[in-house]
Amino acid sequence: MGYRIDYQSVFREKKTKKGRYPILIFSACLIAVLLFNTVLKDQRALLLKIIFPGDAAVTAASLDNMLSQLKAGAPLEDALLAFCQQVIAG
């Protein structure tokens, strides 16, 4: 004589929460950009000098070179290393 045991499932489906984090991140970035454009307009040159040190022309040329390397399929590490070396060399 055979028997069969049926158990009720204890698995509860997780309710999916609609993520609000992307909206918060986007809003924070938008506020930061607006803040930099309006309040810190006078310090923009100083901020760019901190982000891109050295001669601006050399940095722009190095950045163009890095972007062309990336478009050609070079690995990001190699392109970034070449960019940093060119900026430091001046």
Side-chain angles (χ1 to χ4, degrees):
M1 182 166 157
Y3 62 93
R4 181 175 158 187
I5 301 174
D6 289 328
Y7 293 103
Q8 291 182 356
S9 176
V10 293
F11 175 73
R12 296 182 186 181
E13 292 184 24
K14 294 183 179 180
K15 295 181 181 178
T16 57
K17 295 181 181 179
K18 291 185 178 180
R20 294 186 181 169
Y21 293 116
I23 294 171
L24 288 175
I25 292 171
F26 177 74
S27 299
C29 290
L30 184 63
I31 289 171
V33 167
L34 291 175
L35 178 74
F36 284 130
N37 279 336
T38 57
V39 176
L40 301 176
K41 192 176 253 184
D42 297 334
Q43 287 85 14
R44 187 180 301 167
L46 178 66
L47 185 64
L48 287 175
K49 189 164 182 110
I50 291 171
I51 294 173
F52 298 113
D55 187 18
V58 172
T59 305
S62 299
L63 189 60
D64 287 337
N65 188 17
M66 181 181 79
L67 291 175
S68 65
Q69 286 179 354
L70 289 174
K71 286 180 183 177
L76 178 65
E77 290 180 17
D78 295 341
L80 190 60
L81 180 66
F83 169 75
C84 292
Q85 288 174 345
Q86 289 174 354
V87 168
I88 290 172

